Amino acid sequence: MINLNNGGVAPSPKIVMDTEKRYLEIENMNPSYYMWNVLDPGIETVRRRLARSFGCDPEEIAITRNASESLEIVQLGMELKAGDEVLTTNQDYPRMITTWKQRERRDGIVLRQVKFPVPPPSMDYLAKLMEDNVTPKTKVIHICHITNRTGQIFPVKKICRMARARGIEVIVDGAHAFAQFPFKQEDLDCDYYGTSLHKWVLAPIGTGMLYVKKSKIPTIWPMMPAPDSMQDNIRKFEEIGTHPASQRNAITEALTFHESIGVDRKAERLRYLRKRWSNRLRELPGVKILNSEDPEQSCAIGFISIDGFDAPKLSKYLWEKHRIWTVGVVTEGEYQGLRITPNVYTTLEEVDTFADVMEKIIKRGSLPA
Ligand SMILES: Cc1ncc(COP(=O)(O)O)c(C=O)c1O
């Protein structure tokens, strides 16, 4: 099978899985001793390594199970009152939108979602769009660092600064960004950043990271309660009861693997793979490449829309007839197409096979029966 949906979740390298398995065996020898006494302290090494990679103080990093948990901690833990507005886009992640909608029902906050064209004219356009939609009631802006649809990178720093000047909090959904392309916390200047580690870090499935700026930690309620004495402690967000140390502790091995490639080289390779298939297909009839070509605004995630083709049907056909695994994305009333995400292990032959099959289908003008 050709896996072109590495955006969903990515396979761990063997060295990471071996580490995870080794820890799993150790913790099962006598969990209350080996897990709690021997393996659990390793979380501090994970915190230090993640902090170095993200460019912050370890006391600002919580280890979670995924981006959803990281973001929901902030979304649900922030003090908001009825009538307060949260500004986001209609291309933000559905689960995060669902979370805000639950707060609408429960707390009477108001969610406002703006639309933007793909690709947008520029990053400044996106920054201005958010600024123009701020109202006196806006208390939070929620944006993706890179969207999970067309892979659009947002001008996070600009939006954070604009918001801070107005007393607005910004939550950055970095589910796809961390370890896909190079950046540090200071490049974003954000207060809250949530990401999965089972996407681009290639860490064990079920691992995530939450960054909360030190001064903001006391202002966020943890999703699962923690004692009052932990009010200022980032570890209050990890008070989730018994859970495996084997996945979490193997994050360090994934970081070592990631750093041994180097994030700059990785991003270059991912952009190369994306361009390799999209450059072949972009001039064919009815084809629209909806990711930006600007390297500041795009990386691994590519998006192809073809006039007259139903995206979910096309994705199903590619899988059933050619064992090519993609995602059909539909943004109702706006656009539809295939999201294509290779990874560092994706071969040129795999990308070319995808392009060959697509070229034939596009030239034919319809899916073979
Ligand atoms: C933009 C975005 N945010 C959040 C998530 C949630 O990630 P997870 O399912 O790992 O919690 C995803 C998952 O694909 C995503 O693409």
Side-chain angles (χ1 to χ4, degrees), residues 7-9 65-69 71 91-93 95-96 144 146-149 173-176 195-199 207 339:
V9 60
R65 291 166 291 186
N66 47 49
S68 304
E69 183 179 1
L71 294 164
Q91 296 189 50
D92 269 75
Y93 195 63
R95 185 174 294 110
M96 288 29 269
C144 278
I146 175 170
T147 69
N148 70 303
R149 298 190 171 211
D173 177 343
H176 277 274
T195 187
S196 299
L197 301 173
H198 47 227
K199 292 186 190 285
T207 53
R339 183 186 77 177

Side-chain angles (χ1 to χ4, degrees), residues 277-289 304-309 314 317-318 322 338 354-368:
W277 66 261
S278 62
N279 284 349
R280 260 190 67 188
L281 303 180
R282 73 175 66 251
E283 300 303 334
L284 296 176
V287 169
K288 291 187 202 88
I289 301 294
I304 178 167
S305 163
I306 313 152
D307 291 345
F309 281 83
L314 176 55
Y317 169 83
L318 289 173
H322 299 280
L338 299 182
F354 166 69
D356 288 343
V357 171
M358 287 292 282
E359 191 174 309
K360 278 196 197 109
I361 296 170
I362 296 165
K363 283 186 175 159
R364 191 177 186 279
S366 63
L367 291 176

Side-chain angles (χ1 to χ4, degrees), residues 179-315:
Q180 187 187 147
F181 51 90
F183 63 89
K184 295 282 184 196
Q185 191 278 336
E186 65 180 8
D187 301 320
L188 310 176
D189 200 9
C190 58
D191 292 339
Y192 310 104
Y193 193 91
T195 187
S196 299
L197 301 173
H198 47 227
K199 292 186 190 285
W200 297 94
V201 179
L202 312 181
I205 295 168
T207 53
M209 174 185 105
L210 169 65
Y211 163 84
V212 181
K213 186 177 257 173
K214 229 182 231 168
S215 59
K216 297 283 180 180
I217 296 171
T219 70
I220 304 293
W221 289 95
M223 205 154 48
M224 289 198 192
D228 191 29
S229 57
M230 294 184 83
Q231 173 87 341
D232 302 345
N233 189 337
I234 190 76
R235 292 165 193 78
K236 73 181 178 182
F237 302 121
E238 296 166 354
E239 288 292 300
I240 63 167
T242 306
H243 60 289
S246 45
Q247 294 159 9
R248 188 192 62 212
N249 284 24
I251 292 169
T252 51
E253 208 62 43
L255 284 168
T256 300
F257 182 87
H258 168 70
E259 286 160 10
S260 69
I261 296 174
V263 68
D264 295 279
R265 287 207 305 153
K266 184 167 163 180
E268 275 312 300
R269 175 68 174 180
L270 294 171
R271 290 192 177 102
Y272 172 75
L273 292 172
R274 191 198 78 228
K275 282 188 200 145
R276 186 163 172 114
W277 66 261
S278 62
N279 284 349
R280 260 190 67 188
L281 303 180
R282 73 175 66 251
E283 300 303 334
L284 296 176
V287 169
K288 291 187 202 88
I289 301 294
L290 297 185
N291 57 270
S292 169
E293 290 306 321
D294 174 4
E296 290 292 302
Q297 298 186 58
S298 57
C299 192
I301 303 173
F303 196 96
I304 178 167
S305 163
I306 313 152
D307 291 345
F309 281 83
D310 175 89
K313 281 191 189 145
L314 176 55
S315 179

